Amino acid sequence: MANKHKIGVFDSGIGGLSVVKAIQNELPDLEIVYKDDKKHVPYGLRDVNEIHGFVRPIFQEFVDEGCQAIVIACNTVTTNLITELRHEFKLPMVGLEPAVRAAAVMTKSKTIAVCATPRTLASKRYKWLKQEFTKGMVVLEPDCSDWAMMIENDSVERDKVAKITNQAIKQGADVIVLGCTHYHWIEEIIKDIAKGRAKIIQPEKPVIEQLKRVLGRLA
Ligand code: DGL
């Protein structure tokens, strides 16, 4: 079955490890090779071409090490580069991107907040998701530009997170999208702050379902 396969999981830093944890819960026998790029984290403040140059050799390592698929556990890389990477590396890729569509379905106030890196928010793919699925809605994009490093360095300031979360809720958001895998590590904090006022969503579950389908198609 699917569980005997070997896959690569990538993120710039520790964000993707939260995704590894979720995958392991669902597919405990799957062999996972995890790679990050601590030297260049955070990606979210960098230029797309620069990021492309960083990830290319890392993805080649996944191929050389016999990975049969790659999970891009980095919204910044997925939203900006998955198409190019799929062309360059001929193995299946599953990417995480902000769950805009799911949020649009869930919201009653017709206002959602997307927490993501500046590079994700500036991507064509994210803009397309917004245009396609949030017509007539308000999409808030709070400034979370320093969250990835705050989490990477294990120096989470609850007050800072609370301020941004409360502001978004005050502006009407009843669904908050975690559009960066680093933020998965503070999901419980955000849920606690938003309790009874807004729902917090991130794409791990559908991504794992997609990964199962991809593995099912492999020999
Ligand atoms: N974890 C990455 C993401 O999902 C971003 C962190 C970074 O800025 O490097 O977008």
mmCIF file of all heavy atoms in Angstrom, residues 11-12 15 41-45 73-76 117 120 148 179-182, ligand 1:
data_model
loop_
_atom_site.group_PDB
_atom_site.id
_atom_site.type_symbol
_atom_site.label_atom_id
_atom_site.label_comp_id
_atom_site.label_asym_id
_atom_site.label_seq_id
_atom_site.Cartn_x
_atom_site.Cartn_y
_atom_site.Cartn_z
ATOM 1 N N ASP A 11 10.603 22.639 3.564
ATOM 2 C CA ASP A 11 10.236 24.005 3.953
ATOM 3 C C ASP A 11 11.534 24.788 4.190
ATOM 4 O O ASP A 11 12.598 24.193 4.378
ATOM 5 C CB ASP A 11 9.385 24.016 5.229
ATOM 6 C CG ASP A 11 8.994 25.434 5.645
ATOM 7 O OD1 ASP A 11 8.696 26.259 4.749
ATOM 8 O OD2 ASP A 11 9.007 25.743 6.850
ATOM 9 N N SER A 12 11.420 26.101 4.217
ATOM 10 C CA SER A 12 12.598 26.928 4.488
ATOM 11 C C SER A 12 13.151 26.671 5.893
ATOM 12 O O SER A 12 14.348 26.791 6.131
ATOM 13 C CB SER A 12 12.215 28.403 4.349
ATOM 14 O OG SER A 12 11.107 28.679 5.195
ATOM 15 N N GLY A 15 8.715 25.253 9.785
ATOM 16 C CA GLY A 15 7.284 25.180 9.463
ATOM 17 C C GLY A 15 6.868 23.804 8.972
ATOM 18 O O GLY A 15 5.883 23.228 9.424
ATOM 19 N N VAL A 41 16.432 31.040 5.472
ATOM 20 C CA VAL A 41 15.132 31.372 6.040
ATOM 21 C C VAL A 41 15.219 32.799 6.618
ATOM 22 O O VAL A 41 16.269 33.160 7.146
ATOM 23 C CB VAL A 41 14.746 30.323 7.143
ATOM 24 C CG1 VAL A 41 15.702 30.323 8.320
ATOM 25 C CG2 VAL A 41 13.304 30.484 7.581
ATOM 26 N N PRO A 42 14.235 33.680 6.459
ATOM 27 C CA PRO A 42 12.911 33.454 5.898
ATOM 28 C C PRO A 42 12.851 33.682 4.392
ATOM 29 O O PRO A 42 13.412 34.644 3.882
ATOM 30 C CB PRO A 42 12.077 34.516 6.616
ATOM 31 C CG PRO A 42 13.022 35.669 6.825
ATOM 32 C CD PRO A 42 14.376 35.050 7.033
ATOM 33 N N TYR A 43 12.143 32.799 3.712
ATOM 34 C CA TYR A 43 11.927 32.951 2.274
ATOM 35 C C TYR A 43 10.915 34.062 1.981
ATOM 36 O O TYR A 43 10.948 34.673 0.932
ATOM 37 C CB TYR A 43 11.370 31.648 1.703
ATOM 38 C CG TYR A 43 12.396 30.603 1.340
ATOM 39 C CD1 TYR A 43 13.740 30.717 1.712
ATOM 40 C CD2 TYR A 43 12.014 29.490 0.595
ATOM 41 C CE1 TYR A 43 14.659 29.739 1.361
ATOM 42 C CE2 TYR A 43 12.927 28.511 0.232
ATOM 43 C CZ TYR A 43 14.255 28.636 0.615
ATOM 44 O OH TYR A 43 15.147 27.666 0.253
ATOM 45 N N GLY A 44 10.014 34.256 2.910
ATOM 46 C CA GLY A 44 8.875 35.140 2.682
ATOM 47 C C GLY A 44 9.212 36.593 2.412
ATOM 48 O O GLY A 44 8.366 37.362 1.964
ATOM 49 N N LEU A 45 10.469 36.963 2.669
ATOM 50 C CA LEU A 45 10.879 38.346 2.433
ATOM 51 C C LEU A 45 11.840 38.434 1.248
ATOM 52 O O LEU A 45 12.413 39.486 0.979
ATOM 53 C CB LEU A 45 11.548 38.918 3.701
ATOM 54 C CG LEU A 45 10.689 38.909 4.975
ATOM 55 C CD1 LEU A 45 11.511 39.306 6.196
ATOM 56 C CD2 LEU A 45 9.493 39.855 4.826
ATOM 57 N N ALA A 73 6.060 21.880 1.753
ATOM 58 C CA ALA A 73 5.384 22.338 2.977
ATOM 59 C C ALA A 73 5.722 23.796 3.247
ATOM 60 O O ALA A 73 6.043 24.183 4.374
ATOM 61 C CB ALA A 73 5.782 21.443 4.143
ATOM 62 N N CYS A 74 5.654 24.581 2.195
ATOM 63 C CA CYS A 74 6.005 25.998 2.259
ATOM 64 C C CYS A 74 5.091 26.735 1.283
ATOM 65 O O CYS A 74 5.198 26.549 0.064
ATOM 66 C CB CYS A 74 7.463 26.191 1.859
ATOM 67 S SG CYS A 74 7.977 27.915 1.827
ATOM 68 N N ASN A 75 4.183 27.526 1.831
ATOM 69 C CA ASN A 75 3.239 28.270 0.985
ATOM 70 C C ASN A 75 3.976 29.222 0.042
ATOM 71 O O ASN A 75 3.547 29.450 -1.088
ATOM 72 C CB ASN A 75 2.291 29.100 1.854
ATOM 73 C CG ASN A 75 1.355 28.247 2.686
ATOM 74 O OD1 ASN A 75 0.183 28.122 2.384
ATOM 75 N ND2 ASN A 75 1.862 27.634 3.743
ATOM 76 N N THR A 76 5.075 29.770 0.516
ATOM 77 C CA THR A 76 5.823 30.749 -0.272
ATOM 78 C C THR A 76 6.363 30.107 -1.545
ATOM 79 O O THR A 76 6.263 30.671 -2.640
ATOM 80 C CB THR A 76 6.979 31.323 0.578
ATOM 81 O OG1 THR A 76 6.442 31.799 1.818
ATOM 82 C CG2 THR A 76 7.682 32.452 -0.132
ATOM 83 N N THR A 117 3.090 35.019 4.312
ATOM 84 C CA THR A 117 4.285 35.853 4.132
ATOM 85 C C THR A 117 4.031 36.882 3.019
ATOM 86 O O THR A 117 3.186 36.660 2.147
ATOM 87 C CB THR A 117 5.517 34.997 3.722
ATOM 88 O OG1 THR A 117 5.327 34.503 2.386
ATOM 89 C CG2 THR A 117 5.732 33.834 4.685
ATOM 90 N N THR A 120 4.126 35.301 -0.412
ATOM 91 C CA THR A 120 2.925 34.524 -0.761
ATOM 92 C C THR A 120 1.802 35.474 -1.171
ATOM 93 O O THR A 120 1.141 35.262 -2.190
ATOM 94 C CB THR A 120 2.471 33.663 0.450
ATOM 95 O OG1 THR A 120 3.461 32.663 0.689
ATOM 96 C CG2 THR A 120 1.136 32.986 0.189
ATOM 97 N N ALA A 148 7.266 34.419 10.933
ATOM 98 C CA ALA A 148 8.035 33.203 10.608
ATOM 99 C C ALA A 148 9.314 33.146 11.444
ATOM 100 O O ALA A 148 9.629 32.115 12.043
ATOM 101 C CB ALA A 148 8.347 33.148 9.112
ATOM 102 N N GLY A 179 -1.701 30.771 6.353
ATOM 103 C CA GLY A 179 -1.131 30.563 5.023
ATOM 104 C C GLY A 179 0.382 30.486 5.034
ATOM 105 O O GLY A 179 1.041 30.856 4.061
ATOM 106 N N CYS A 180 0.931 30.023 6.135
ATOM 107 C CA CYS A 180 2.379 29.789 6.253
ATOM 108 C C CYS A 180 2.542 28.657 7.247
ATOM 109 O O CYS A 180 1.930 28.683 8.321
ATOM 110 C CB CYS A 180 3.078 31.058 6.748
ATOM 111 S SG CYS A 180 4.797 30.798 7.272
ATOM 112 N N THR A 181 3.334 27.655 6.869
ATOM 113 C CA THR A 181 3.418 26.465 7.729
ATOM 114 C C THR A 181 4.058 26.759 9.086
ATOM 115 O O THR A 181 3.800 26.044 10.053
ATOM 116 C CB THR A 181 4.180 25.328 7.012
ATOM 117 O OG1 THR A 181 5.432 25.846 6.522
ATOM 118 C CG2 THR A 181 3.361 24.776 5.863
ATOM 119 N N HIS A 182 4.879 27.792 9.147
ATOM 120 C CA HIS A 182 5.422 28.167 10.466
ATOM 121 C C HIS A 182 4.291 28.441 11.456
ATOM 122 O O HIS A 182 4.387 28.110 12.633
ATOM 123 C CB HIS A 182 6.311 29.413 10.357
ATOM 124 C CG HIS A 182 7.711 29.119 9.922
ATOM 125 N ND1 HIS A 182 8.010 28.676 8.655
ATOM 126 C CD2 HIS A 182 8.890 29.184 10.590
ATOM 127 C CE1 HIS A 182 9.330 28.495 8.561
ATOM 128 N NE2 HIS A 182 9.878 28.805 9.726
HETATM 129 N N1 DGL B 1 6.954 28.277 6.089
HETATM 130 C C1 DGL B 1 6.997 29.082 4.899
HETATM 131 C C2 DGL B 1 5.593 29.179 4.274
HETATM 132 O O1 DGL B 1 4.766 28.314 4.473
HETATM 133 C C3 DGL B 1 7.502 30.490 5.022
HETATM 134 C C4 DGL B 1 8.524 30.852 6.030
HETATM 135 C C5 DGL B 1 9.569 31.771 5.459
HETATM 136 O O2 DGL B 1 9.316 32.985 5.302
HETATM 137 O O3 DGL B 1 10.629 31.249 5.149
HETATM 138 O O4 DGL B 1 5.329 30.103 3.547
#
